[in-house]
Amino acid sequence: MQKLERTIGIVCAIILLIVVVESVHPKKYVPPPAEPPVPEMDCIGDPIAVDFPYTGGVNDPWTCKVQCDGSKPRYILYSNTKATQCDIPPSCLDYGEDHGITCKVPVLRSTKK
């Protein structure tokens, strides 16, 4: 029985020593390197204009659903001029919105001469 008590005492002493050493010399936190931002690609297809802003997260309405009936690619154009790409047809998921990836709205060419 005395041997068990001694073993428990040694284990507790080792744990206490580790805690004291860690508190006196804590490891320095080194943040992981920041990943380079993904460059925005141009939006492809026709816009689906919505009356709410893009806030970087998933919005409730399934906006790209209109793409399910056709084979033409589309993108969501939000009220704050941000845009996210719908998935590649025949899929009709809100891909860009779901993954937090925006795209650049193409510049509309003027038909005036």
Side-chain angles (χ1 to χ4, degrees):
M1 193 66 158
Q2 196 174 19
K3 188 174 183 178
L4 178 64
E5 291 172 356
R6 185 174 179 188
T7 304
I8 292 173
I10 291 172
V11 170
C12 289
I14 292 172
I15 292 172
L16 181 64
L17 179 67
I18 291 172
V19 169
V20 168
V21 169
E22 286 293 318
S23 66
V24 173
H25 300 291
K27 292 182 180 178
K28 293 187 180 181
Y29 174 72
V30 178
E35 294 197 24
V38 177
E40 284 189 339
M41 298 179 68
D42 290 333
C43 296
I44 301 170
D46 292 336
I48 304 169
V50 294
D51 62 352
F52 51 88
Y54 177 67
T55 58
V58 177
N59 291 309
D60 191 26
W62 179 19
T63 311
C64 292
K65 185 176 182 179
V66 298
Q67 184 175 297
C68 293
D69 299 331
S71 61
K72 188 169 186 164
R74 297 176 183 265
Y75 63 92
I76 305 169
L77 180 60
Y78 299 89
S79 63
N80 60 348
T81 68
K82 298 280 186 186
T84 59
Q85 188 70 50
C86 295
D87 206 358
I88 299 169
S91 175
C92 49
L93 299 174
D94 296 350
Y95 183 83
E97 182 180 283
D98 293 345
H99 293 89
I101 302 170
T102 58
C103 60
K104 289 188 284 189
V105 178
V107 177
L108 298 176
R109 294 184 185 135
S110 176
T111 57
K112 293 180 184 179
K113 291 187 179 182

